[in-house]
Amino acid sequence: MAYFLQQLINGLTLGAIYGLIAIGYTMVYGIIGMINFAHGEIYMIGAFISVISFLALSAAGVTYVPLALLVVLIVTMTFTAAYGWTIERIAYRPLRHSFRLAPLISAIGMSIFLQNLVQLLQGARVKPLQPIVSGGFVLLDSGDFEVQISYLQIFIILLTVALMAGFTTMINRTSLGRAQRACEQDGTMAALLGVNVDRTISLTFVMGAALAAVAGMMVTLYYGVIDFYIGFLAGVKAFTAAVLGGIGSLPGAMLGGILIGLIEAFWSGYFSVEYKDVSVFGILVLVLIFRPTGLLGRPEVEKV
Amino acid sequence: MTMLSIEGVHTFYGNIEALKGVDVSVETGEIVTLIGANGAGKSTLLMTICGRPRASKGRIVFEGRDITGTETFEIVRLGISQSPEGRRIFPRMTVLDNLQMGAISTDPSYFTEDLKRVFTLFPILERRQEQRGGTLSGGEQQMLAIGRALMSRPRLLLLDEPSLGLAPLVVKQIFEVIREINEQQKVTVFLVEQNAYHALKLAHRGYVMQTGQIALQGTGRELLGNREVRAAYLEGGH
Ligand SMILES: Nc1ncnc2c1ncn2[C@@H]1O[C@H](COP(=O)(O)OP(=O)(O)OP(=O)(O)O)[C@@H](O)[C@H]1O
Ligand SMILES: [Mg+2]
């Protein structure tokens, strides 16, 4: 029981991170019907920007942890969002009216380019970072096993919940969110009503990138090491989360992310750590075969 | 005063020429109707006014301003609103959300007042506020499409076949509302219709389009009495 609880906590933490990345996949898919294969790289870039900003802050003598976290969060979101915006402008927008596969190919190219760019700029070796947030609680002590939750895990889970709540409110209640949903459902009609569709798509990329940036920062804090290659695996897993939840569905991406995190944690905890990635890809295959619309997705055929 | 003037407009879909030099003008305060057979180019003309697709030749002038090259999303801010072919309700949004989308180009302070006006025209929409657009009946969707178009406070309303697929009673109701919008709210209306009888009775003037060109024009009454129009669009009941 204690062990189970520990895996649950670890799984939720991982799931929060996947969920934040998955939102970017699902929103971009929703609005332009394309899988942004470079999204994993956006997250990787977020991780690098956060490492660099942490190092810069400590060099500047900022030692107060909450301040450092806040500054890094803002800097990382801003710069990563700029990457997201730029990618859409140069790699996808010119191909918007091209054949269906064109932007997909461009996305894969962009993904390779970004990996190589970071490798060139930052080197191929892993980047370590001292623990910034340490300590935690013992939740339960069953004699031979202690269930712990670290302050960092609490930070990750709470920040994710806050971001997801804020984001959901934005999509459902604000006029920007409404415009985004309108563009998803009928871009031409949205334009007739006065929505600048290009700008709305840009903003969607910016938001997805900002959330992935937070995930990148969290992973940096959580694992303490990153390299230019982390975007690939995390990207595929978050994509799996988005598909599991139902691609195009915002609550689906969140739910899918949490489930993938839990599956990975429990698989590692009870079966084998080596095959934890296999478990996730196994899920992807099963979902694609048996329920391609995902848990909360809607069938493609529903059209008026 | 001329509100909208379409001068020698050509529009292509790829290499299909859908409009082959169309001239139409709409005076302020009028209801002008455009009738014509399937595939004549009526919807294309309405969409060309809004820049989707764009005219490849000719000029479109609205209130003295050349809008031929204006971005689609800017058009509504100039005072032109369209309820397009097929209604294009956002199916997974509520009625209220659809109406809010209609108001996206206007000052939010008008919203409550404009919403009330639309609900007065179409009381059913008020009762269906929270229902998803895609689950409305055809008639309700049409009312929502017109209501949504009105939410942007247009001076020129473009309507594409508002009576399509509706029961005769509802058709009458819709045409009644169009008259009301025109007379009481002083909105100029450019109306595309298959229901030529009703449209010509309602409109001050009409145009008949054939394969991408204007074949005939006149007052509603003249066209109703015209032999060719009767033969092509009116005989066999209305
Ligand atoms: N997106 C498109 N791509 C290619 N051709 C098109 C497209 N839309 C319309 N057309 C063609 O342009 C011509 C005019 O079509 P349009 O829809 O304007 O006709 P319409 O007068 O509105 O007809 P209806 O009364 O049936 O609605 C038709 O020949 C049609 O096939
Ligand atoms: Mg038509």
Side-chain angles (χ1 to χ4, degrees):
Chain A
M1 182 59 207
Y3 188 63
F4 176 86
L5 200 59
Q6 185 65 61
Q7 296 312 324
L8 187 67
I9 292 169
N10 298 346
L12 283 177
T13 312
L14 265 183
I17 296 172
Y18 293 147
L20 286 177
I21 310 175
I23 290 174
Y25 279 108
T26 234
M27 286 187 53
V28 165
Y29 181 84
I31 204 157
I32 55 175
M34 176 202 126
I35 303 296
N36 176 13
F37 276 113
H39 190 55
E41 265 49 69
I42 286 289
Y43 149 86
M44 178 270 290
I45 286 171
F48 270 87
I49 294 174
S50 69
V51 169
I52 295 166
S53 351
F54 274 124
L55 293 177
L57 279 183
S58 78
V62 178
T63 50
Y64 181 56
V65 173
L67 177 68
L69 288 177
L70 185 67
V71 172
V72 172
L73 185 69
I74 292 169
V75 169
T76 306
M77 285 174 93
T78 310
F79 280 87
T80 312
Y83 267 93
W85 183 84
T86 311
I87 290 172
E88 193 271 333
R89 284 309 288 265
I90 63 180
Y92 305 149
R93 187 177 297 183
L95 299 171
R96 190 150 326 137
H97 302 289
S98 179
F99 61 103
R100 257 185 96 77
L101 270 180
L104 216 61
I105 296 167
S106 182
I108 293 169
M110 187 43 90
S111 163
I112 297 170
F113 167 77
L114 291 172
Q115 272 183 30
N116 284 285
L117 179 74
V118 173
Q119 186 183 359
L120 271 175
L121 293 178
Q122 296 292 321
R125 265 183 293 168
V126 298
K127 273 227 168 320
L129 184 77
Q130 267 79 290
I132 308 256
V133 184
S134 48
F137 295 112
V138 175
L139 278 183
L140 193 85
D141 192 345
S142 69
D144 51 346
F145 190 83
E146 278 185 351
V147 181
Q148 292 185 349
I149 183 164
S150 66
Y151 293 136
L152 184 57
Q153 284 176 319
I154 295 173
F155 171 73
I156 290 177
I157 292 169
L158 288 184
L159 180 57
T160 303
V161 169
L163 281 173
M164 286 182 175
F167 203 69
T168 306
T169 311
M170 199 225 73
I171 295 288
N172 290 330
R173 299 254 183 277
T174 66
S175 71
L176 172 60
R178 203 175 297 118
Q180 270 178 316
R181 285 181 286 140
C183 291
E184 280 183 21
Q185 294 175 32
D186 187 340
T188 301
M189 189 64 229
L192 286 178
L193 294 173
V195 176
N196 182 341
V197 178
D198 280 342
R199 208 191 55 175
T200 309
I201 292 174
S202 282
L203 281 173
T204 305
F205 274 83
V206 163
M207 289 173 197
L211 292 181
V214 178
M217 171 185 165
M218 287 172 172
V219 139
T220 304
L221 290 168
Y222 198 51
Y223 291 122
V225 288
I226 56 164
D227 63 47
F228 71 96
Y229 204 60
I230 58 166
F232 175 71
L233 207 54
V236 180
K237 285 179 186 171
F239 171 65
T240 305
V243 172
L244 175 61
I247 190 99
S249 155
L250 191 59
M254 301 175 189
L255 177 68
I258 289 164
L259 288 177
I260 292 293
L262 289 174
I263 289 165
E264 191 175 320
F266 283 116
W267 190 282
S268 316
Y270 287 98
F271 301 107
S272 87
V273 179
E274 291 82 37
Y275 290 106
K276 69 178 165 101
D277 298 338
V278 175
S279 72
V280 174
F281 300 132
I283 300 280
L284 178 59
V285 172
L286 290 178
V287 173
L288 286 177
I289 294 173
F290 293 108
R291 203 178 158 82
T293 56
L295 297 172
L296 304 181
R298 64 203 150 74
E300 271 303 319
V301 286
E302 185 204 313
K303 263 256 141 72
V304 178
Chain B
M1 201 186 89
T2 302
M3 179 176 254
L4 177 74
S5 125
I6 298 168
E7 302 160 9
V9 161
H10 294 249
T11 299
F12 286 82
Y13 293 109
N15 28 15
I16 303 167
E17 188 173 22
L19 299 182
K20 304 167 182 166
V22 173
D23 294 283
V24 164
S25 75
V26 178
E27 305 295 311
T28 306
E30 275 188 317
I31 299 178
V32 174
T33 189
L34 175 67
I35 60 176
N38 293 125
K42 306 180 297 294
S43 301
T44 303
L45 182 61
L46 285 199
M47 287 304 280
T48 303
I49 295 170
C50 295
R52 294 257 167 128
R54 220 167 264 302
S56 58
K57 234 171 97 185
R59 251 169 37 112
I60 303 170
V61 179
F62 177 67
E63 294 182 337
R65 176 181 175 150
D66 188 332
I67 60 164
T68 323
T70 306
E71 291 280 355
T72 301
F73 68 88
E74 299 285 7
I75 297 279
V76 66
R77 290 182 175 78
L78 302 176
I80 303 180
S81 186
Q82 176 166 182
S83 163
E85 178 162 55
R87 299 160 192 152
R88 304 187 88 148
I89 296 304
F90 298 113
R92 295 186 299 285
M93 279 190 189
T94 63
V95 168
L96 190 62
D97 266 346
N98 268 281
L99 292 171
Q100 278 176 316
M101 279 308 298
I104 206 153
S105 60
T106 60
D107 189 322
S109 62
Y110 293 130
F111 182 73
T112 321
E113 177 193 337
D114 292 349
L115 189 67
K116 222 174 112 194
R117 182 150 6 110
V118 168
F119 284 161
T120 313
L121 284 176
F122 303 112
I124 184 88
L125 294 181
E126 185 162 18
R127 278 172 269 141
R128 303 279 159 154
Q129 271 182 76
E130 295 306 320
Q131 194 173 327
R132 276 154 48 114
T135 62
L136 294 176
S137 78
E140 290 161 353
Q141 286 196 6
Q142 189 57 63
M143 296 178 201
L144 178 55
I146 298 174
R148 182 178 60 183
L150 288 174
M151 288 302 288
S152 70
R153 325 193 117 217
R155 289 190 297 286
L156 173 63
L157 180 63
L158 311 175
L159 296 174
D160 199 335
E161 300 203 37
S163 75
L164 185 71
L166 303 184
L169 210 63
V170 186
V171 172
K172 246 183 104 176
Q173 197 187 338
I174 295 270
F175 277 94
E176 211 38 65
V177 168
I178 296 171
R179 187 197 302 280
E180 211 173 308
I181 293 168
N182 174 254
E183 284 175 2
Q184 285 168 22
Q185 305 184 14
K186 308 287 175 235
V187 178
T188 306
V189 178
F190 188 33
L191 169 71
V192 165
E193 258 303 333
Q194 290 285 348
N195 199 327
Y197 176 75
H198 277 286
L200 290 172
K201 275 197 75 162
L202 175 71
H204 303 104
R205 290 189 304 117
Y207 290 86
V208 179
M209 189 176 241
Q210 255 164 30
T211 56
Q213 283 174 316
I214 299 298
L216 279 170
Q217 65 183 80
T219 64
R221 199 183 295 264
E222 280 166 14
L223 289 175
L224 268 176
N226 180 292
R227 192 127 47 88
E228 285 173 66
V229 172
R230 295 194 76 88
Y233 307 106
L234 293 172
E235 305 286 88
H238 17 269

